[in-house]
Amino acid sequence: FVEENTLSYPQKHFAFHGTMAKVNNYHPEVANSLIETAGFRKKDSFGYRMNERGQKLEFTMMSTSHRSIRQEIEQFIQMSWQKIGVKLDIQNQHERDFLEVTLPKRKFPHFALLSVLKDPFFHNDTFMSWYGIQSGFNNYQGLNFSGLKNIETSSIAEAAYREIDEQKWKELLLRQQEIEVQEIPFIPLFFWSS
């Protein structure tokens, strides 16, 4: 069973932030308005948006090759974005190259699609903390692939790891999800659940 989601915790998690869960859902009308406000009002002959200088609104997504579920997800995103005039190039690599070089050294130009095994009750999360940013300093370890630098999320990750009071722990994780919705360092697409 697959559960759609836009937050970093599944719906059954004790700290799931239900009020924040649908904030960043797909809204083509809102997306079109934001894109036009950003100056991408023209379209080329293929329907892709351009600004006044003729620069296309295009991005690149990278992942591992030979994983059909990821390729299907990439193609779905590509088709969805095409409907609003955004071009998405897909560049996949051999798994070892992607996981050992491209991802930890953040050599992807815009987006990386990956799966992460996450224990919902172990909160030494480095997704949103400074010490989770891969660099030579930490031998390219950590899960902050976006490179988000936010003092509050780093403090929350550290405090949540040490907190033993369940209510205080929940409050920390709820605040983390609020920041996650504002900063959008990553976008969880779904959780495998039973």
Side-chain angles (χ1 to χ4, degrees):
F1 178 73
V2 173
E3 173 189 316
E4 285 184 31
N5 204 342
T6 57
L7 294 173
S8 59
Y9 299 106
Q11 293 175 14
K12 292 180 182 179
H13 191 276
F14 80 98
F16 177 75
H17 203 319
T19 57
M20 303 264 68
K22 301 296 179 187
V23 172
N24 289 329
N25 279 359
Y26 179 69
H27 299 287
E29 307 81 25
V30 175
N32 277 315
S33 175
L34 290 169
I35 290 168
E36 288 193 12
T37 301
F40 291 90
R41 294 180 183 88
K42 295 180 177 183
K43 290 188 177 181
D44 68 10
S45 60
F46 297 103
Y48 293 118
R49 294 195 177 253
M50 301 183 310
N51 61 18
E52 293 297 322
R53 296 178 307 221
Q55 179 185 18
K56 284 185 188 176
L57 185 57
E58 61 183 319
F59 299 97
T60 300
M61 179 174 284
M62 298 182 75
S63 190
T64 57
S65 53
H66 309 300
R67 298 286 183 185
S68 62
I69 186 73
R70 288 195 195 127
Q71 291 171 347
E72 289 173 26
I73 291 169
E74 287 172 321
Q75 290 168 1
F76 177 79
I77 294 169
Q78 186 180 50
M79 288 187 298
S80 297
W81 288 10
Q82 187 174 8
K83 290 177 185 175
I84 58 171
V86 179
K87 184 174 185 192
L88 180 66
D89 292 319
I90 297 171
Q91 295 179 7
N92 292 335
Q93 295 179 315
H94 186 275
E95 190 168 341
R96 191 171 77 197
D97 295 333
F98 182 73
L99 297 176
E100 293 180 10
V101 179
T102 301
L103 194 57
K105 295 188 178 179
R106 292 194 321 275
K107 292 188 174 211
F108 51 92
H110 303 111
F111 301 101
L113 179 67
L114 62 144
S115 59
V116 175
L117 296 175
K118 183 174 180 180
D119 182 341
F121 296 102
F122 180 69
H123 296 286
N124 188 13
D125 260 346
T126 61
F127 285 99
M128 294 175 59
S129 66
W130 280 22
Y131 56 82
I133 297 172
Q134 304 82 3
S135 68
F137 178 74
N138 64 5
N139 200 27
Y140 299 97
Q141 301 298 306
L143 297 173
N144 187 345
F145 300 115
S146 68
L148 174 71
K149 294 180 181 177
N150 182 306
I151 293 170
E152 186 176 4
T153 59
S154 293
S155 298
I156 289 170
E158 186 69 30
Y161 177 67
R162 298 187 190 302
E163 187 57 64
I164 57 172
D165 180 275
E166 191 170 293
Q167 185 57 38
K168 290 178 183 175
W169 188 24
K170 181 177 180 178
E171 290 169 13
L172 289 165
L173 300 181
L174 290 172
R175 177 62 186 138
Q176 183 182 39
Q177 291 169 86
E178 291 169 1
I179 298 168
E180 183 181 313
V181 166
Q182 294 299 315
E183 296 278 347
I184 316 175
F186 55 88
I187 303 173
L189 300 177
F190 61 87
F191 288 95
W192 294 108
S193 59
S194 55

